[in-house]
Amino acid sequence: MSAPHNRRSIFLGRMPLPERNYIADALRTETVGGVLLLAAAVVALIWANTLGTSYETVRGFHLGPASLGLDLPIQHWAANGLLALFFFVAGIELKRELVAGELRDPKAAALPVVAALCGMAMPALVYAAVNVLGDGSLQGWAVPTATDIAFALAVLAVIGTSLPSALRAFLLTLAVVDDLFAIMIIAIFFTSTLNFLALGLAVAGLALFYLLLRKGIRGWYVYVPLGVVIWALMENSGVHATIAGVAMGLMLRCTRREDETHSPGEHIEHLVRPLSAGLAVPLFALFSAGVAISGGAVHDVFTRPETLGVVLGLIVGKALGIFGGTWLTARFTKARLNPDLQWPDLFAVAALAGIGFTVSLLIGELAFTEDLALADEIKASVLIGSLLAAVFAAILLKLRNAKYRTLFEEEERDEDQDGIPDIYEADKPEYHLRMAAILEAKAAEHRRLAEVAAETDARDDGPA
């Protein structure tokens, strides 16, 4: 009975094999999506700073039926439509974490939840302090609170660090909780006027969606049209349309039955995640990240309180909030850090969480809808803050990369070639029997080669 207790008390320790495999698969997709996200952001910046008029014309072009309240500019379709897919996947991730992942055990969930909450509260406080002292607007307090997991993983891929799976899993869990609170912020603070008829019909649609799932009705031709109708109703209700995505994601069953290899939620997430990470989020970046950046604009970012608050919130607030919340929680509970890691490793990951690209851009648009010039400056501050946080985290991670590579190779070693890392089989007699057979076969081969070499030497040394 003591072993499970000890495992639970170790923070950032080894994950169960199914959880490790699930996280590894999810992170691979997010990493590819993150690289595409980076590319889309670069294209948007180049386009906006070279052919700015055409960029504004394209993203301002209206599409959709006006009679249904959906005659919207392309930028709006990207932010409210395509990001609904992103939040749908976030909803599934959250549901799975709650029922089968790191958040299912309240004791195990305490650290990432507290870390995420502190990692959102501290950037908001930093932003508020800068703007109170600088007599700026407090409207953008929520902009630096979000973490972009895809962008963060893309940075890891670019700098080539072999971050151990436990740290990657912590970053993913942190981002899932972060997304939940970001959704709550959007729903509570960025809903102005409500159309109660549309909202009521959207809720009725969600109820029907849930009922069909519980009845076991299958078929994309049922759920996709229903999901589009729910999204359209939510779009017309005054509540941000992405809320429909996360609500539907949370309704999916993410527990496996005896006859299932994957739960319905896991299966659908596997299908939709590439579409979200590879198409929806990069297109959102393409039509949202394009801001004109000049020397004067960069100067304004570091002198105007609203934009400086965002930059400092992402770089300072995120790192201090996540690290401080985690350290204090571990300090006053029975949790202890994995002996293979050190607290500076966690601080580096906390700094990496300061990359707040996708949702920060979205909240920036929502917070300053009546001041488009300031909204663009806020976007520039998100880009600059995320870039500086990425550089800072990359430096910290590179300092420990040799240690990370050793841990990563140990995690991935599979000498018996059965598809399961050896560290998960060290206490199983079958593993050691397989290894004994493999080593005996190698020893027999070496004996044979030794005999052949000896015979060759004897012939060479014989009479000419």
Side-chain angles (χ1 to χ4, degrees), residues 327-343:
W327 186 86
L328 288 172
T329 305
R331 174 70 178 80
F332 294 105
T333 64
K334 294 180 180 180
R336 60 187 179 91
L337 186 65
N338 182 342
D340 290 331
L341 300 172
Q342 297 178 12
W343 283 108

Side-chain angles (χ1 to χ4, degrees), residues 296-374:
V298 173
H299 176 268
D300 290 343
V301 165
F302 290 100
T303 55
R304 184 161 183 165
E306 293 89 350
T307 50
L308 181 60
V310 170
V311 172
L312 292 179
L314 289 171
I315 300 171
V316 179
K318 271 290 183 182
L320 292 181
I322 292 171
F323 179 80
T326 306
W327 186 86
L328 288 172
T329 305
R331 174 70 178 80
F332 294 105
T333 64
K334 294 180 180 180
R336 60 187 179 91
L337 186 65
N338 182 342
D340 290 331
L341 300 172
Q342 297 178 12
W343 283 108
D345 298 321
L346 187 73
F347 185 78
V349 172
L352 191 65
I355 299 173
F357 192 77
T358 305
V359 180
S360 290
L361 288 175
L362 175 61
I363 294 177
E365 289 182 0
L366 297 173
F368 296 100
T369 52
E370 296 180 0
D371 190 342
L372 296 181
L374 180 54

